[in-house]
Amino acid sequence: MFSWALALRYLQRRWVNVLGTIGVIVAVWSLIVVRGVFSGFIEDIRTDVRRSSPDLLVTTLPHATSFALLQSALKNDPDVVALAPRLRHYGTFFQRTGNAAMQSIELEFSNVDSSFVQLVGVDPAREREVTAFDDWIERARTRSLRDGMDHSAPQLGPELQVPAADELRARKRLGLAVPEAATAFRSLWPGILLGRERTRFNRTITVGTPLDLLSVDYVTAKDGTSRAVTLQRAFAFAGTFQTGARLFDDSVALVPIEPLRSMLGHDALDDGSVDLCTDVAVRATDGLTIEQLRIVAQRLTTLARTALNEARPGASPETLTWEEQNAVFLDAVDTERAMTTLVLFAVMLIATFLIFATLHMMVTQKTKDIGILCALGGSPRGIGQIFTRCGFVIGALGVVMGAGLGLLTLHSLNGINDWLFEQTGFELFPRTLFDLPKVPYRIEPGWIVAVAVGSFLLTLFVAWLPARKAARMQPVKSLSYE
Amino acid sequence: MNAPALSAHDVKKSYWLGKREIPILKGVNLAVERGEMVALLGASGAGKSTLLHLLGLLDTPTSGEIRFDGQPVHNFKVGARAKLRHQFVGFVFQFYHLIPELTAIQNVLLAAMMQKSVCQYWKERRTTRAAAEQILDEVGLSQRLSHRPAELSGGERQRVAIARALLQNPRVVLADEPTGNLDSETADDVMQMLFRINRERQLAFLLVTHNEDLARKCHRVVRLRDGMVVG
């Protein structure tokens, strides 16, 4: 009984112990809030990444691989639902400003310093069967309308062509050749879709605006020598897309695959041309887990290798699941979360060190009291319990209040963010930066329990150390302590 | 024939300073009967406080025996010694040794809490508090129950310490120069009170003191010189 009575009395009379309690509150609160927000963001990021990626991607294909060849091999797998070719290349875009080829300016992107893009040639019809291609365009439309800067894609043709009226209007504006009978005009330029963020603040670009793509390719002559050739092709800005995966949206431009194949020397009408692809996007049977997808990926790799090796011995294609396609990014995000958690654990360690320091100091200050308690019949165990109970109270209060405040903060996060912005103009989580309608968060009961129990046990442990010292004190020495 | 309430048999105690043994007590024999008030006289360094600590089971002898009611108790384990100390012995120190965070009555009640669980104490809290109030009234502090030690005079603090020592109805009170820190008038008051308690409660008292006059008022005087009883 005396250990409880004295523990509570010592805590009441020593305000320095409040610092320890506040330390635990702050540490538990931050571990719950930061982790909750981080997990919310990560969940959103994973959803966006999933949306931007096909279930599986057969990649690392040898030069000039034919899609038809792979298609006939891969479609035999029972878990393959649909296949779509992808052709990756690189280039820069220039926005046409007049009727001469020289009159163009480097396309000014809002969020990147360069107009350099990764071109991904897609077959829109097939792509729709494999990925949420239409959803990418629809998402961009919704967000564009919200921003009041409409770069929405109109009804596009099979090669992503913009409606004839849009191209005609652009041609007239730039003084380019147009037929006399405008009603007979049909779009000539293939369309190009850019990530919404790249054009978000570009007021000079509208649907139909011609964009000149400049690229380079190596060609091999008949005598075996290679040389770089400059490639150029006109596209029409066909609108924007948004998968939500910033890395993909900011770096990729979607173009129809056929014009890209033509540009790279494989026009469908030419003899000996190949239906070129660098990757094959695969839609697998719905509902497969990531482990099951990995098994399908292994089968597809075998099928692709067999098919390719018949024509080109030594080919070593690989098949990546949607997670593996974004492994670097997802691992980086996970690492960042782990690092942040580690930093916050350091906060907890500082708080517990503070508790240890105050309780240790208390034991030293209370040496004489310990001697008195021994003389009154207090057992060493009971004397030690005074200090473990101090730690118990500090830990329990800190954990309960920290966890409560943490949960309350997460529930009110968007309200707090709005209020802070209204009052001070400062946003804790700038939504424009993350392009999110609200700050995401995720309450993880397992994590909260782990933090609460872990913090509490840590507090008890650091209280146990000075308690042990107190319990081991010699009563005679304690009584004569000055 | 009844055994003495408290006795020491050939008790020796040494401390070690490095490899050098420093003998403090060199075979002390002493017995305190029930209701007896014994004065323990001796110069500084004679071993009075060491003997008191050994008799109160706060320390263990190097050799020899300590007996409570004739039963050897010096070899008991730490926990058992604490329990026995709680039931059998009351301590009064020269410097009062009150807990500064507690009021007078809380300091007294602390003695009752030592070996009880929260539930046990809770059941007995009313009777325990009544007993504490009665003892504080007995030592003349019924009006100072809620005062902390810092708000009490030296004499009042020592009275609280005495009340604390008496709450558990001990068999023996060990008092280490209880008036050594008080002015002579207050010291007389405190001593009168101790004699009265001894008389009324038939408690055994072992009183360490330097004061020959005070010692002469006790039933018996034991002198300690160089770690040995000399008379």
Side-chain angles (χ1 to χ4, degrees):
Chain A
M1 166 68 196
F2 78 96
S3 50
W4 270 119
L6 277 178
L8 295 174
R9 186 47 58 102
Y10 284 168
L11 288 174
Q12 273 179 357
R13 303 284 291 182
R14 277 177 167 67
W15 285 98
V16 70
N17 289 304
V18 175
L19 286 180
T21 313
I22 290 172
V24 178
I25 291 172
V26 170
V28 170
W29 174 84
S30 56
L31 274 166
I32 289 172
V33 172
V34 174
R35 173 81 178 205
V37 173
F38 233 109
S39 296
F41 271 111
I42 286 176
E43 199 172 63
D44 273 22
I45 286 169
R46 287 182 76 85
T47 308
D48 291 340
V49 163
R50 182 73 187 89
R51 192 188 300 111
S52 74
S53 310
D55 295 338
L56 296 162
L57 190 73
V58 184
T59 187
T60 329
L61 303 176
H63 182 67
T65 296
S66 159
F67 171 65
L69 176 71
L70 280 174
Q71 187 188 23
S72 61
L74 300 176
K75 72 181 181 187
N76 295 327
D77 189 280
D79 279 318
V80 170
V81 174
L83 298 161
R86 295 261 181 103
L87 181 57
R88 274 181 288 119
H89 202 68
Y90 299 89
T92 60
F93 279 100
F94 292 87
Q95 185 178 338
R96 198 84 65 87
T97 56
N99 60 1
M102 295 296 287
Q103 284 182 280
S104 59
I105 55 166
E106 194 176 11
L107 190 60
E108 194 179 307
F109 291 120
S110 59
N111 60 336
V112 282
D113 293 336
S114 163
S115 56
F116 189 80
V117 287
Q118 182 186 42
L119 296 162
V120 175
V122 295
D123 177 341
R126 288 184 183 277
E127 190 68 27
R128 282 186 181 95
E129 293 175 10
V130 173
T131 59
F133 183 70
D134 289 329
D135 182 46
W136 298 350
I137 296 170
E138 187 55 35
R139 278 171 64 86
R141 184 199 312 278
T142 313
R143 301 291 166 87
S144 292
L145 291 173
R146 197 187 68 195
D147 289 349
M149 178 84 76
D150 192 4
H151 286 140
S152 306
Q155 191 68 39
L156 299 171
E159 289 204 339
L160 304 178
Q161 302 100 316
V162 300
D166 288 324
E167 186 175 318
L168 190 63
R169 200 179 306 119
R171 282 174 177 274
K172 283 180 179 172
R173 193 174 69 241
L174 296 168
L176 299 171
V178 290
E180 285 182 16
T183 49
F185 181 79
R186 64 182 181 85
S187 301
L188 298 175
W189 296 321
I192 180 167
L193 291 164
L194 296 173
R196 191 182 77 88
E197 286 299 315
R198 299 197 75 149
T199 56
R200 193 168 171 187
F201 301 109
N202 187 331
R203 292 180 181 278
T204 62
I205 193 168
T206 54
V207 170
T209 301
L211 300 175
D212 290 315
L213 167 67
L214 198 62
S215 185
V216 171
D217 194 19
Y218 277 95
V219 292
T220 307
K222 285 182 179 172
D223 61 2
T225 55
S226 295
R227 64 189 175 87
V229 291
T230 308
L231 308 171
Q232 190 174 359
R233 172 102 200 214
F235 287 83
F237 175 63
T240 55
F241 70 92
Q242 187 177 41
T243 66
R246 288 289 288 267
L247 208 60
F248 184 85
D249 294 353
D250 287 355
S251 58
V252 165
L254 295 170
V255 293
I257 196 165
E258 279 306 335
L260 196 57
R261 281 175 178 157
S262 298
M263 204 175 83
L264 294 171
H266 286 271
D267 192 292
L269 300 175
D270 290 346
D271 287 341
S273 67
V274 173
D275 52 348
L276 212 56
C277 71
T278 53
D279 313 286
V280 176
V282 181
R283 184 176 156 207
T285 311
D286 286 346
L288 293 185
T289 63
I290 193 71
E291 287 76 19
Q292 289 168 323
L293 280 176
R294 282 197 194 104
I295 294 166
V296 178
Q298 285 172 359
R299 293 204 305 261
L300 294 188
T301 300
T302 308
L303 287 172
R305 187 181 296 128
T306 308
L308 290 169
N309 279 342
E310 283 175 8
R312 297 167 190 223
S316 55
E318 57 179 336
T319 307
L320 305 176
T321 63
W322 67 270
E323 268 193 355
E324 289 161 347
Q325 292 164 48
N326 303 282
V328 173
F329 181 61
L330 291 175
D331 287 352
V333 172
D334 278 340
T335 306
E336 202 172 332
R337 175 167 63 173
M339 291 304 292
T340 311
T341 307
L342 199 67
V343 169
L344 294 173
F345 268 119
V347 175
M348 173 55 81
L349 284 180
I350 292 167
T352 49
F353 178 76
L354 188 67
I355 294 167
F356 170 76
T358 49
L359 289 181
H360 195 270
M361 190 171 67
M362 196 197 285
V363 168
T364 307
Q365 288 174 340
K366 290 290 164 193
T367 300
K368 193 151 264 179
D369 286 12
I370 290 166
I372 299 164
L373 295 170
C374 285
L376 291 176
S379 63
R381 186 162 163 263
I383 287 165
Q385 280 175 345
I386 297 172
F387 301 95
T388 50
R389 277 163 185 173
C390 284
F392 178 93
V393 173
I394 292 170
L397 274 177
V399 165
V400 169
M401 290 174 77
L405 273 175
L407 285 171
L408 198 67
T409 307
L410 282 179
H411 276 297
S412 322
L413 199 61
N414 286 288
I416 294 169
N417 202 30
D418 289 344
W419 178 83
L420 204 65
F421 182 66
E422 281 167 20
Q423 299 298 318
T424 65
F426 170 75
E427 275 187 292
L428 282 173
F429 306 95
R431 283 167 210 179
T432 50
L433 186 66
F434 299 108
D435 192 37
L436 295 167
K438 61 178 187 173
V439 182
Y441 67 86
R442 187 176 168 208
I443 292 175
E444 298 171 291
W447 173 251
I448 293 170
V449 170
V451 166
V453 172
S455 308
F456 186 61
L457 291 179
L458 200 60
T459 312
L460 283 188
F461 174 71
V462 296
W464 172 75
L465 294 173
R468 193 178 63 154
K469 182 186 171 189
R472 288 180 173 184
M473 279 185 178
Q474 295 290 325
V476 174
K477 285 184 183 170
S478 304
L479 282 168
S480 56
Y481 179 80
E482 294 296 337
Chain B
M1 185 181 160
N2 285 339
L6 175 66
S7 58
H9 301 266
D10 195 23
V11 167
K12 293 177 182 169
K13 180 70 183 176
S14 300
Y15 291 108
W16 290 86
L17 197 66
K19 289 182 178 176
R20 193 157 66 96
E21 185 181 8
I22 301 170
I24 306 295
L25 299 176
K26 300 168 184 171
V28 172
N29 289 291
L30 174 72
V32 183
E33 303 291 340
R34 287 185 186 79
E36 189 181 23
M37 187 165 235
V38 178
L40 186 61
L41 274 174
S44 289
K48 304 187 294 294
S49 293
T50 302
L51 180 59
L52 208 70
H53 291 150
L54 293 174
L55 292 170
L57 303 182
L58 285 173
D59 205 353
T60 50
T62 308
S63 66
E65 284 190 353
I66 306 292
R67 293 182 190 171
F68 284 1
D69 283 342
Q71 298 298 316
V73 293
H74 57 282
N75 282 335
F76 280 21
K77 287 187 176 172
V78 176
R81 288 214 310 270
K83 196 170 182 180
L84 204 57
R85 194 160 55 234
H86 176 65
Q87 293 167 342
F88 204 91
V89 184
F91 274 101
V92 179
F93 298 99
Q94 179 182 358
F95 296 104
Y96 333 122
H97 286 347
L98 299 176
I99 306 283
E101 283 86 355
L102 304 180
T103 61
I105 189 147
Q106 285 168 344
N107 264 289
V108 176
L109 285 171
L110 193 60
M113 295 177 187
M114 298 313 292
Q115 295 281 338
K116 290 193 179 110
S117 68
V118 174
C119 291
Q120 282 172 323
Y121 181 79
W122 186 253
K123 281 179 195 164
E124 300 165 9
R125 69 190 189 284
R126 288 202 176 87
T127 51
T128 310
R129 187 175 171 94
E133 284 177 357
Q134 190 192 331
I135 292 175
L136 280 167
D137 186 36
E138 214 174 304
V139 298
L141 288 176
S142 58
Q143 304 301 312
R144 313 289 261 170
L145 303 185
S146 305
H147 288 68
R148 291 186 203 287
E151 299 159 351
L152 299 172
S153 68
E156 287 172 329
R157 287 182 208 180
Q158 195 59 295
R159 285 161 191 264
V160 175
I162 291 165
R164 183 179 65 186
L166 296 175
L167 183 72
Q168 288 301 105
N169 292 316
R171 307 286 286 279
V172 180
V173 173
L174 303 175
D176 191 358
E177 301 189 43
T179 57
N181 204 33
L182 303 174
D183 61 75
S184 57
E185 193 178 337
T186 311
D188 281 348
D189 286 349
V190 168
M191 282 315 301
Q192 290 306 319
M193 192 178 72
L194 287 179
F195 284 121
R196 177 170 53 81
I197 291 166
N198 168 249
R199 212 169 38 247
E200 289 174 1
R201 296 190 172 223
Q202 281 299 295
L203 272 178
F205 270 78
L206 181 61
L207 198 72
V208 171
T209 181
H210 282 113
N211 191 327
E212 292 275 356
D213 294 338
L214 181 64
R216 275 195 290 275
K217 291 178 187 169
C218 296
H219 300 135
R220 186 154 60 93
V221 177
V222 174
R223 291 178 193 277
L224 206 58
R225 186 181 298 154
D226 295 332
M228 298 180 76
V229 175
V230 293

